Amino acid sequence: MSAATVPDLLQSFLEEAWETVAVFEQAAEFLAIKRHEPLVVMAHRLKGSAGLYGFPQIANLGALAERILEAAPRYTEQQQAKVVEFVGQLTAVLTTALENIAIHGQEGRVGLELGRLGAAALIQELAALNPEAFVSDEPEEAPQASPQTPGGVVEELQAFYRQNAEFWEFFAPETLENLDHVTHALTGLQTGDENGEHLRALFRAMHTIKGAAYSVGCKPIGALAHQLEDLLVAVREGQTPWSEQIAHLVLEGSQVLSQMLVVAEGKDPQAALTLHQQLIDLQNRLALLLNREPPTPAPAPAAPAPPSTPAPQTRPSSTASVRVSLERLDALLNLAGETLVARSRLELLAQRFEEMDQLLEMARQRLVRTTADFEARYLNPRLSLAQETQASQPQSTLGKTVQELFTELEFDRYDDLNILARSIQEMTSDLAEVRNSLSEQIKAFRQETELFGKLSQELRNEVGRARLIPIGRFYQRLTRQVQQIAGEKQVQLLFQGEQVEIDSVLLDGLSEALLHLVNNAVIHGIESPAERLAAGKTPKGTLTIRTQPQRGALVLEISDDGRGIDLEAVKQKAVEKGLRTQAQVENMRPEEALELIFLPGLSTAPVVSDVAGRGVGMDVVATTIRRLRGDLTVETHSGLGTTFRLRVPQSLVVSDILVLQTGGQTLALPRESLVTLLTAPASQDEVAYEGKAVPIKHLGELLRLPPAESEEYALAVVEGRGGNLVALAAERFIGLQQALVKPLPGPLSELPHLIGATVSPTGQVILVLSPSGLLSLNTTLPTQTPIKASLNRRLPVLLVDDSLSVRKVVAQMLRKAGHQVVTAADGQEALELLEQQPFQAVVTDLEMPRMSGFELLEEVRRRPNLAHLPIAVLTTRASTKHRDLAVELGANAYLTKPADEVELGRFLQEI
């Protein structure tokens, strides 16, 4: 192992190598379906990464595998069997080598072990049988350590993106993560690095970027990362002292690397025009610091003309992903196993219930037969009359046996009634015994159900944790943002709570809102150095971003020590824009005036720029936070600064809610908004909590519900604006429940006091309330008019097809016709999407993995909440039996591929 291969890099190499082993184990399946490319890709990656991490024998092994597998299309069927045998031998040797590295740090005698298994003879046999397969079509170029010539770099990046979709799925997120590590290390170096920890982290991140880029064959990124790594090596070895110039150069290099990723995906045409010159300037300065010859500048490529039609080769953006540690995956697997065991126990108990049900049925039938026999004997009038006639005649003992005479004398009390009574007694005893057993089994079933519930809760928590990432990763993006927009202003960023974990989906939703709040603090809040000195402040402003968990929610604060919000200027702008009248703003309290900054079109910036003054942003921030079921509050002090406080739930999937009743309605409050639960007499206006008087607000009055008389109210203490506690009163609490809270469609989504809705086990729809929105209903602030566009917003169309090409082409047709489109790769994914959000219609294929189109049709029509949904089948199957079955299952239209734009449009117009 190379001396530079530190433990965390070694772990990264081992993870990649074990992925290669997993793919090689499927070599027979890949070659059988004529798909050798994934095998070549993994062999190439193994060759590059093993060489970079200092394992030359494994690198040679990867090169040999790559050479043999590249020629797979030229092999005969018999020769392919030899290749599969060779890959099996290679996989066995590679597995042993990786185990040696993990335990001893050495790869062992890889070549000798491969030869011992007979691989040499196999290779010679393949070469003899098909020598043409081993003739190289074009020589492979080794990774260049010299600077990448900037000319054509945009074309090379975009070509790599189009041609290496498998690589890009993992390469781009890994590079962005390491660029975040670079920024974090640079921030740490600014505050001092006595033990060299930050410099080592900086070198490690850049080394990983370089190695990954060369491994996947992305030479432009690899070459620039290589130059930056050489600069860091010079600093680490004492050849060049660390300076502000080097720090700025490394930061600029990381920004150019990030820009390369964006340009490769074609997301920023403007950046593609400037990347060429940026790369030349950066490489020239790096060469100067490293005492090397600067690269010969190639002529800048002509600006690409915007394409008239979308390029057919451009692949869709990749699915969002998140890395999960092995420990968490193990915990998930363990819980899944425990869940299966618990399920088996529940099935056994259910079987026992069935057996007891059969016993009860047998006892019931016995009782019925006995009762029927009794009725036939004693309640039949003819039988009773015959018995009475026989009883009136004198009885004779002639002809009777001694046993019969003895029975009459000794056992006359055991007649049919006695036997019936004894039979009923026995059956009653049997039923009591069965009932006792049933009671015991029900108790055991209840215990197993409770255990199953606990396991399900733990499984839910672990799955939720699998999506968590430290918010510190996003902090690095904020650092770059501040450095780009600060200009002449001096801004010191302070971060708190970097290790607090947040749901990656939630962070995606919050990112734009947080970026805008940071922009707002830098542009509007923090003054220029001259202004700060004149106000008696330090020339450098401070922007503090802190995150902390609080009662099942996350609280994020963005605070600056700037000038604060000028409330009079805000009021005046609201009047000038026609958003409020002069009489309205004159009577406003300060907290009401602060709410004006969230009105669309309002801005106090004197100059319109790319980041401020357009009147767009704060209203979007408020809408985003409300969509994420959160609250946003503002505190400002003139001359001292402003604090924006965001409170959002930690999970958007499953929530804990408090279900309650008030005014004859069943409603719910989110668990994360609750401080405590109390009770108080109906006559009280406030209640004591922790030595403070908390005012009581009646939910029925806030929601304009019919009043209900009650001697005592149940109180939910929540936190209102400004951190003040308020007790919300209801008639009674039903209890805490776990629920899937779904967002409300427009225009209900515009109501500030509603978060969403859920469905109870009995099928009742329960509205989930926002405490801060409820309390705003009791203020005099006029209700904001909903944006009209939201009323006219059409629901999206769900397109379901397992073919990426079909999804892309048909989605383009639908978008061209003005429809929003959401795609799914199979029926199972479509069903999950249908339960998460409303759709206008569904267009589905028939033949798909996991769940076919027929199964999707049947399942949708079976569910009451989805049965109304119009569904069109789009398939290559044009036979009558397929069409008839689809129509029978509920299809509204049956279209055949290739898709006809006119027919699709007609179907959507009819619905």
Side-chain angles (χ1 to χ4, degrees):
M1 184 176 69
S2 170
T5 309
V6 292
D8 52 352
L9 295 180
L10 175 62
Q11 181 63 30
S12 176
F13 165 72
L14 288 174
E15 290 175 358
E16 291 183 358
W18 283 117
E19 290 178 11
T20 304
V21 170
V23 175
F24 280 176
E25 287 175 345
Q26 305 175 50
E29 289 82 356
F30 280 117
L31 293 176
I33 60 175
K34 310 298 183 185
R35 285 194 61 203
H36 70 293
E37 295 87 355
L39 298 170
V40 176
V41 166
M42 300 307 290
H44 179 82
R45 193 172 87 170
L46 178 66
K47 176 187 70 174
S49 59
L52 287 168
Y53 288 104
F55 301 110
Q57 295 188 66
I58 295 181
N60 293 335
L61 195 67
L64 177 62
E66 180 184 16
R67 188 70 200 92
I68 291 176
L69 291 169
E70 278 180 340
R74 305 178 212 169
Y75 295 138
T76 64
E77 186 173 346
Q78 182 181 3
Q79 292 165 357
Q80 281 192 356
K82 298 288 185 183
V83 173
V84 172
E85 185 179 353
F86 165 74
V87 175
Q89 295 172 348
L90 182 146
T91 303
V93 173
L94 180 58
T95 300
T96 303
L98 295 179
E99 291 174 350
N100 288 335
I101 292 173
I103 298 172
H104 307 294
Q106 301 292 334
E107 54 188 334
R109 299 181 177 182
V110 176
L112 292 176
E113 185 66 22
L114 188 63
R116 188 183 64 79
L117 294 177
L122 271 176
I123 296 172
Q124 290 175 0
E125 185 178 353
L126 279 172
L129 292 173
N130 195 345
E132 293 82 5
F134 289 85
V135 177
S136 178
D137 296 331
E138 55 181 20
E140 181 187 356
E141 298 181 3
Q144 299 293 323
S146 59
Q148 169 77 20
T149 304
V153 67
V154 174
E155 291 79 5
E156 187 171 354
L157 285 168
Q158 293 180 346
F160 177 83
Y161 173 78
R162 291 193 300 270
Q163 299 167 8
N164 298 273
E166 302 88 353
F167 290 157
W168 198 263
E169 293 291 342
F170 61 84
F171 170 66
E174 180 186 20
T175 302
L176 287 173
E177 183 178 338
N178 282 292
L179 288 175
D180 286 341
H181 294 333
V182 169
T183 308
H184 183 69
L186 288 172
T187 304
L189 283 167
Q190 291 179 354
T191 59
D193 191 23
E194 297 179 358
N195 55 8
E197 177 185 353
H198 296 303
L199 183 59
R200 286 195 297 273
L202 185 60
F203 172 80
R204 187 163 56 245
M206 197 59 68
H207 175 81
T208 304
I209 293 173
K210 180 201 75 172
Y214 279 147
S215 296
V216 301
C218 188
K219 295 178 182 178
I221 291 179
L224 179 56
H226 199 159
Q227 280 187 282
L228 293 167
E229 183 192 28
D230 289 344
L231 177 60
L232 295 173
V233 169
V235 173
R236 191 178 62 173
E237 295 179 355
Q239 299 173 6
T240 304
W242 180 260
S243 64
E244 191 68 28
Q245 179 188 8
I246 293 178
H248 182 74
L249 200 59
V250 174
L251 178 62
E252 184 178 348
S254 69
Q255 292 171 348
V256 172
L257 288 170
S258 177
Q259 193 173 349
M260 282 178 158
L261 297 175
V262 175
V263 168
E265 296 178 356
K267 294 180 178 178
D268 192 346
Q270 189 63 35
L273 298 177
T274 61
L275 180 62
H276 172 82
Q277 190 60 43
Q278 281 183 303
L279 199 53
I280 289 179
D281 296 342
L282 181 62
Q283 289 180 345
N284 286 337
R285 282 180 285 159
L286 284 170
L288 184 63
L289 278 173
L290 294 169
N291 296 319
R292 296 177 181 172
E293 287 293 327
T296 304
S308 57
T309 58
Q313 294 179 341
T314 303
R315 66 184 186 87
S317 53
S318 59
T319 305
S321 62
V322 61
R323 293 189 175 190
V324 182
S325 66
L326 290 177
E327 291 81 6
R328 288 188 179 177
L329 284 178
D330 288 340
L332 287 174
L333 291 175
N334 290 335
L335 283 171
E338 292 289 341
T339 304
L340 291 176
V341 173
R343 180 175 176 271
S344 299
R345 289 198 293 263
L346 291 176
E347 288 181 351
L348 179 61
L349 288 174
Q351 183 179 355
R352 291 177 179 173
F353 284 148
E354 291 175 355
E355 293 173 355
M356 284 184 285
D357 181 67
Q358 293 175 358
L359 291 175
L360 285 173
E361 177 63 19
M362 291 172 60
R364 187 189 68 83
Q365 290 178 359
R366 285 174 55 197
L367 187 60
V368 168
R369 285 197 302 270
T370 305
T371 305
D373 184 62
F374 178 80
E375 290 178 348
R377 284 175 176 271
Y378 297 102
L379 301 183
N380 189 323
R382 294 181 180 178
L383 180 61
S384 301
L385 181 60
Q387 290 177 345
E388 289 177 3
T389 304
Q390 292 176 3
S392 61
Q393 295 177 358
Q395 297 293 325
S396 173
T397 59
L398 294 177
K400 293 186 178 180
T401 64
V402 174
Q403 181 65 29
E404 289 173 339
L405 292 172
F406 183 77
T407 301
E408 288 182 359
L409 293 173
E410 299 296 333
F411 296 100
D412 54 349
R413 63 182 178 275
Y414 294 105
D415 55 10
D416 289 340
L417 286 175
N418 298 126
I419 295 173
L420 174 62
R422 178 168 293 184
S423 298
I424 293 176
Q425 184 178 7
E426 290 177 357
M427 282 184 287
T428 304
S429 177
D430 291 343
L431 289 174
E433 185 176 350
V434 171
R435 185 180 178 281
N436 291 335
S437 298
L438 182 61
S439 178
E440 292 176 2
Q441 294 299 325
I442 290 176
K443 187 181 297 182
F445 188 81
R446 174 64 63 186
Q447 292 174 351
E448 289 296 332
T449 304
E450 292 176 357
L451 176 60
F452 191 79
K454 292 178 181 178
L455 288 174
S456 301
Q457 176 67 23
E458 291 180 20
L459 185 58
R460 168 210 161 185
N461 294 338
E462 287 297 331
V463 171
R465 288 182 58 204
R467 296 201 318 188
L468 298 180
I469 58 173
I471 197 172
R473 295 183 188 177
F474 182 73
Y475 283 174
Q476 310 314 316
R477 183 179 173 186
L478 297 179
T479 302
R480 294 195 296 269
Q481 180 81 1
V482 171
Q483 291 170 344
Q484 291 172 4
I485 67 173
E488 65 173 8
K489 295 183 179 181
Q490 300 178 19
V491 183
Q492 178 185 13
L493 268 174
L494 296 179
F495 296 118
Q496 298 177 11
E498 296 99 320
Q499 299 306 317
V500 173
E501 293 183 317
I502 183 173
D503 191 314
S504 57
V505 177
L506 179 63
L507 182 58
D508 287 342
L510 276 176
S511 57
E512 292 302 321
L514 292 175
L515 285 171
H516 185 84
L517 291 175
V518 168
N519 288 349
N520 193 71
V522 175
I523 300 300
H524 294 287
I526 296 178
E527 312 94 332
S528 65
E531 289 180 276
R532 293 182 65 84
L533 289 173
K537 301 180 180 179
T538 59
K540 180 180 287 188
T542 301
L543 179 59
T544 304
I545 302 172
R546 64 177 63 89
T547 306
Q548 58 183 352
Q550 190 180 90
R551 294 194 305 273
L554 284 178
V555 177
L556 297 95
E557 293 182 354
I558 297 94
S559 305
D560 66 75
D561 64 346
R563 61 172 62 93
I565 298 176
D566 187 344
L567 296 182
E568 293 303 321
V570 170
K571 293 179 183 180
Q572 192 59 36
K573 279 289 182 181
V575 175
E576 292 176 4
K577 294 284 186 180
L579 302 172
R580 295 291 181 267
T581 65
Q582 186 65 39
Q584 286 176 325
V585 300
E586 288 177 356
N587 297 324
M588 282 185 179
R589 300 190 301 271
E591 58 269 23
E592 296 173 349
L594 271 176
E595 296 288 339
L596 295 175
I597 65 175
F598 299 112
L599 294 177
L602 189 142
S603 176
T604 58
V607 179
V608 176
S609 66
D610 291 337
V611 293
R614 295 169 296 162
V616 178
M618 292 307 295
D619 61 316
V620 177
V621 170
T623 302
T624 300
I625 302 303
R626 187 165 59 246
R627 177 172 52 82
L628 296 174
R629 307 204 306 264
D631 297 328
L632 174 62
T633 57
V634 190
E635 294 180 16
T636 187
H637 301 280
S638 180
L640 298 178
T642 302
T643 297
F644 287 88
R645 183 176 293 105
L646 288 68
R647 181 195 294 272
V648 291
Q650 287 184 324
S651 173
L652 296 178
V653 183
V654 180
S655 301
D656 294 325
I657 58 174
L658 173 66
V659 183
L660 54 87
Q661 279 189 344
T662 185
Q665 299 292 324
T666 302
L667 305 166
L669 291 169
R671 171 66 182 85
E672 59 267 14
S673 67
L674 303 176
V675 177
T676 188
L677 302 179
L678 302 171
T679 58
S683 57
Q684 285 188 203
D685 294 329
E686 60 184 21
V687 63
Y689 176 68
E690 292 186 348
K692 297 180 180 178
V694 179
I696 297 176
K697 302 286 185 182
H698 294 274
L699 272 174
E701 294 179 3
L702 293 174
L703 296 170
R704 310 294 192 269
L705 295 175
E709 296 184 0
S710 177
E711 297 181 357
E712 187 177 64
Y713 282 114
L715 304 178
V717 180
V718 299
E719 187 175 333
R721 296 189 178 276
N724 298 321
L725 299 180
V726 178
L728 298 176
E731 277 87 58
R732 72 184 188 96
F733 294 149
I734 296 176
L736 285 170
Q737 297 180 7
Q738 289 184 351
L740 182 63
V741 180
K742 295 186 177 181
L744 296 169
L748 293 178
S749 60
E750 301 295 331
L751 298 176
H753 63 288
L754 296 181
I755 290 177
T758 187
V759 180
S760 70
T762 60
Q764 180 183 8
V765 176
I766 300 175
L767 293 175
V768 183
L769 307 174
S770 167
S772 61
L774 279 171
L775 297 175
S776 69
L777 296 177
N778 201 33
T779 63
T780 57
L781 187 64
T783 304
Q784 186 175 332
T785 304
I787 302 173
K788 293 183 179 179
S790 63
L791 297 174
N792 301 323
R793 189 185 303 143
R794 282 196 287 186
L795 295 176
V797 176
L798 180 59
L799 174 61
V800 192
D801 201 298
D802 60 327
S803 169
L804 176 61
S805 302
V806 172
R807 293 202 303 270
K808 183 177 177 182
V809 172
V810 177
Q812 185 178 346
M813 285 184 184
L814 294 173
R815 292 190 180 103
K816 184 179 177 182
H819 298 280
Q820 299 180 45
V821 182
V822 176
T823 61
D826 54 47
Q828 183 64 42
E829 183 182 354
L831 201 59
E832 294 171 359
L833 288 171
L834 287 169
E835 290 294 348
Q836 293 173 8
Q837 68 178 97
F839 288 93
Q840 178 186 359
V842 178
V843 179
T844 180
D845 190 14
L846 287 182
E847 297 170 289
M848 297 178 291
R850 294 206 296 172
M851 180 182 285
S852 69
F854 288 133
E855 293 170 326
L856 176 62
L857 268 168
E858 187 176 23
E859 188 63 27
V860 168
R861 295 305 183 217
R862 188 181 66 81
R863 302 190 179 192
N865 60 318
L866 301 176
H868 66 282
L869 201 61
I871 301 178
V873 172
L874 179 62
T875 179
T876 56
R877 300 291 187 179
S879 66
T880 304
K881 67 176 184 178
H882 288 88
R883 182 187 300 270
D884 292 344
L885 179 57
V887 173
E888 181 181 346
L889 291 174
N892 301 90
Y894 195 91
L895 313 176
T896 55
K897 296 178 182 177
D900 188 329
E901 194 169 351
V902 176
E903 290 184 352
L904 269 176
R906 186 182 302 118
F907 163 69
L908 293 173
Q909 286 176 359
E910 289 175 356
I911 63 174

